[in-house]
Each structure stands twice: as C-alpha cells, then as structure tokens.
Amino acid sequence: MNDLTCNCEICELKDIFLKHASTSDVENICNIKVEKEYKSGEIIVNQGEEINDFSYLKKGLVKLFRLGSTGKEQIISIAKPLDFVNLLSIFSDKYYNYSVSAIADSIICSIKLDEVKRLILGNGRFAFSIIEKMSRTSDKIIIDSLEIKQRQVFGRVAYILLFFSNYIFSGNLFELPVTRKEIAEITGMTTENIIRTMSTFRQDNIIRINGKTIEILDKARLLKISEVS
Amino acid sequence: MNDLTCNCEICELKDIFLKHASTSDVENICNIKVEKEYKSGEIIVNQGEEINDFSYLKKGLVKLFRLGSTGKEQIISIAKPLDFVNLLSIFSDKYYNYSVSAIADSIICSIKLDEVKRLILGNGRFAFSIIEKMSRTSDKIIIDSLEIKQRQVFGRVAYILLFFSNYIFSGNLFELPVTRKEIAEITGMTTENIIRTMSTFRQDNIIRINGKTIEILDKARLLKISEVS
DNA sequence: CGCGGCTTTGATGTTCATCAAGTAAAGTGG
DNA sequence: CCACTTTACTTGATGAACATCAAAGCCGCG
C-alpha cells in the first residue's frame, strides 16, 4: 500500500463527489484527502475496525465481504471505479461490520469522515448528492442479493457471469477478477458446483473458458438461463 | 384506507423525522403531510408506481416485497413503527421496484418527496439525520439477508423467530403477523418446510404453537440452532 | 523445485423441494 | 347465520438439487 499525491481539480471523482462543493471546499478537501494504492489481494478495511474515513474507488476493483455469525465468509458486493467503497454503515455505525480488499490493483481516495460530515451539515446540495449515491449503491446490493437468492445454481452462475460482463467490464470477453471460491461466496454455493456449472455452460457452447479468461459466446441463452432457473 | 388528521407537535415521529427542522418548517410540513390508515392486508404501494412520497410508519406493521425477475415473490423486510416505509430508492429511482402492504392495521404519515428534498437542500442537519436513518435501515436489510442466506432451514427458521421475538415484539409470546407462506418468502424456503421445521421445534419443546400464536420456551436453544445450522 | 492454494471430475449422501391429500380456518354471498 | 368457497395449515412419500468427500492435475510463488 502506497501513498500518492494528486490534483483534485483534474480528478474524475470531483464530478461525482464534489459536484456541489464550493471552490474553497474543494481546495480544502484536496489538501486533506489521502490517496492510496493497493496491490491486488491487499486488505483495505478490516471487519471490526473503527470507521474514520469516507472512501471512493478511483481505479481498480474491490470486494466487500464479511464473516457471518455462523462463521461463513460471504461476499456482499464488488465495487468498480467511482463506486464508494465503504458502505452505508459509515454514517450510522462506529465500526465496520464488513471487510474490503482489492481484487485488482486499486487506487482509493479517502477523506476524514468528520470533514464529510461537516460538508453535509453545511451544504444541502452536497448532502443530497451523497444521499442519491448511497441510495443507488444499497439498492443495487439489495436487489442483486434478492435476485441471486431466488435462483438455482444454473441461474445464479448465469446471473454472475452477466453481472461481470455487463456491469463490471461492459464486454463479452474478460478476465474474472475472482476465484471460483469467491464466486461461490457471492452466490452461496460451493466451489465445486460453480466449476461444474461453468463446465456445463462450456460444453453447451454458451461460454469459452481459459483459466480466468471467460468469453460469453451466447449471451441470449445465458440471459434465458438466468431468467428461468 | 382512511385519511386522518393529527397534530405534528405531539407526534412521536417529530423527534426522529423533524428533530432538526426549524419551527416554521415543522408548521409547514404539518399542513402538507397526509396521514392515512390502512387495514391489515391493504396495499400501500404497488411495485411499478411512481414515487411521490416520503413515508413513515406511525403505527402497525408493514411488509416490503417484490416480484423478482424469475416471477417469485420475495419479502425484502418487515417494518415496524418509526421505521420509514419506503426504501432508499426514493432518492434515486423514479418508480418503486417493490410493493408495500400492511400486515397489521397501520397508520402511515406521508410527505411529498419534493418537500423533503427541499428540506434536505436547505438544511444540512436535517439531511444528516435522514442519511443516518437510511443508513441504518438498509444496513439492517443487507445484514439480515446475508445472515439468512448463510443458514440452512433450521437456522433460518430459528433466525426469523428470534427476529420477531427480539426486534418486532420484544417478548417471547407473540402473534405471528405473517403466514407460513410469508415466512417462506422471507427465508427463501417452501411453506411445507417452514411448517415442518416449526413442528420439530415444537416437538423438541423449543416453542409452543397455537395457530399464529408462538411462545418461545427455550430461547437459548433457539439461539444455538440459529448459530450452528 | 516443492509447497499450498486453485481447479477439476467423479462418487456418494444429505438436504430440501415437489407432489399429494387431508384438515382446519377464514372469508363470501344468499 | 349458514352453506360454500377459498385460503391457510399440516403430514407423508418421493425425487431432484445440491453439498460433501475424495483424488488428482495445475499453477504461481517463495
């Protein structure tokens, strides 16, 4: 993990995060923000740690995951650039009830939570843009979770492959940023069943598999499977 | 569904919802708010409808549920008094992607969303209290959903019974406000398996069942079951 | 170059959904 | 208010879906 320096004026996060901040606020934030680089695999946040920062993902991919009360590890969501990295709890809890780790080399921009709170209190337009963003983030997590829950193994794997293809990579050929075990932790299945299901898709010429490289050959059929099973 | 009149000054919602509103704002809101009474079973919001209101549950119980893309009906959450009834989507979506219905006689206080937005824009402290509340709500939904997902049937039923006992009713003797079928829709199981599991709990003297009346006899054991299976 | 984690396939057993069939309860209309 | 209809509840039998166990090849990393 390395610290970086950057200029907020030319940062693409500014358009989202600071759209409604005043010029002086932007300048102030630029001075106090901390930008860090994480290698794939590095832990960014540990479940149980105190929440002090508000963090955006500038580059890379991260996974949010947690150790449930029965001892199983579950992946809550995969975040891509311009998503905010800590979930909602930052404004209601004192400690993280999930962990975050990089699943690709990533850059994260953090601002002290107190500063963000100060901004919210003093600037309604800024507050509203945070609400909108939070709203979209948690909505997506809830809906995705429900959609996965109502499917069986074939439908679940199809749904996840479409998620990576459509939401994360916007393309039919991509490198899976997660292991088969991690897909199992997203979908609530076993690793073996993920592999078996993907093998079936390959045999049916729906996808091509080469290690972590996946190519979706028949998206229509994958969509159909995701809808009926 | 009946319209009611009430005085915001003495309303318990005021402490949460209007804690940081100015006196003139409170007066203004009191004039434009609409309070409605719903009988158990009545639909409050229909999936697909346009989102126009911000609503709090003043009295009763409601369920949030949705028709997933595979055609299965799923219950997202059960809300109790002082919870807010619409989810976060109200600030990011134009249409509801879930329905809400009363599962007990309920009173709901609604304010035009535009008015709430106006308040947020003009009052950072109010905005922050909304963020806190939203944060808690969606966090609870996400965590509950994950906790249920990682359990097997026995653990799921135990978890739900504890949810009603601890979170909704704060007591060991209560009337289930939902059918067995609805418990199935919360937990992602079949109705038959809910009944079978509850029957087993009864045979093991963990709970007493009389129709919809449930008494938890051995909470320690129920908790244990919820943690290990 | 060898160790540990990831991937893969097969065989087996458990868990759970489905189907069926009957009872009880709750609403509905005359 | 009672016959009627519908919905909720319950139990058992069966089969399908899925997890678990086992074993082996692969790959990356120290």
Side-chain angles (χ1 to χ4, degrees), chain B residues 87-101:
Chain B
L87 265 189
L88 310 151
S89 13
I90 53 168
F91 290 115
S92 59
D93 271 4
K94 208 165 153 31
Y95 302 99
Y96 286 105
N97 49 21
Y98 53 88
S99 302
V100 182
S101 77

Side-chain angles (χ1 to χ4, degrees), chain B residues 40-56:
Chain B
S40 181
E42 277 190 282
I43 291 277
I44 297 162
V45 158
N46 255 308
Q47 191 168 346
E49 270 177 17
E50 200 172 348
I51 302 175
N52 292 314
D53 297 301
F54 177 94
S55 305
Y56 255 95

Side-chain angles (χ1 to χ4, degrees), chain A residues 117-134:
Chain A
K117 283 185 185 174
R118 201 183 49 73
L119 261 169
I120 289 172
L121 291 175
N123 183 339
R125 288 179 63 79
F126 175 77
F128 192 74
S129 72
I130 295 285
I131 289 179
E132 274 183 316
K133 185 73 182 169
M134 273 179 42

Side-chain angles (χ1 to χ4, degrees), chain B residues 29-89:
Chain B
I29 282 181
C30 194
N31 290 328
I32 58 170
K33 66 113 182 29
V34 178
E35 204 164 297
K36 286 180 185 164
E37 197 170 20
Y38 295 87
K39 289 273 164 219
S40 181
E42 277 190 282
I43 291 277
I44 297 162
V45 158
N46 255 308
Q47 191 168 346
E49 270 177 17
E50 200 172 348
I51 302 175
N52 292 314
D53 297 301
F54 177 94
S55 305
Y56 255 95
L57 181 61
K58 189 170 175 181
K59 186 162 166 286
L61 282 177
V62 302
K63 66 168 177 176
L64 277 65
F65 61 106
R66 79 187 278 275
L67 201 62
S69 59
T70 70
K72 250 176 248 171
E73 192 155 302
Q74 298 177 297
I75 294 179
I76 303 171
S77 100
I78 308 282
K80 66 175 181 178
L82 308 191
D83 282 349
F84 72 131
V85 160
N86 14 36
L87 265 189
L88 310 151
S89 13

Side-chain angles (χ1 to χ4, degrees), chain B residues 169-215:
Chain B
F169 295 111
S170 306
N172 292 332
L173 177 63
F174 53 87
E175 286 272 299
L176 270 183
V178 288
T179 63
R180 313 289 197 257
K181 180 159 170 286
E182 284 172 320
I183 297 181
E185 286 169 358
I186 301 175
T187 53
M189 301 167 48
T190 55
T191 309
E192 293 96 321
N193 257 326
I194 296 288
I195 290 163
R196 256 187 274 272
T197 308
M198 281 175 50
S199 293
T200 309
F201 287 170
R202 187 195 52 211
Q203 284 156 31
D204 294 349
N205 287 319
I206 297 170
I207 60 174
R208 182 177 296 146
I209 305 177
N210 189 349
K212 290 218 182 295
T213 307
I214 304 285
E215 184 178 7

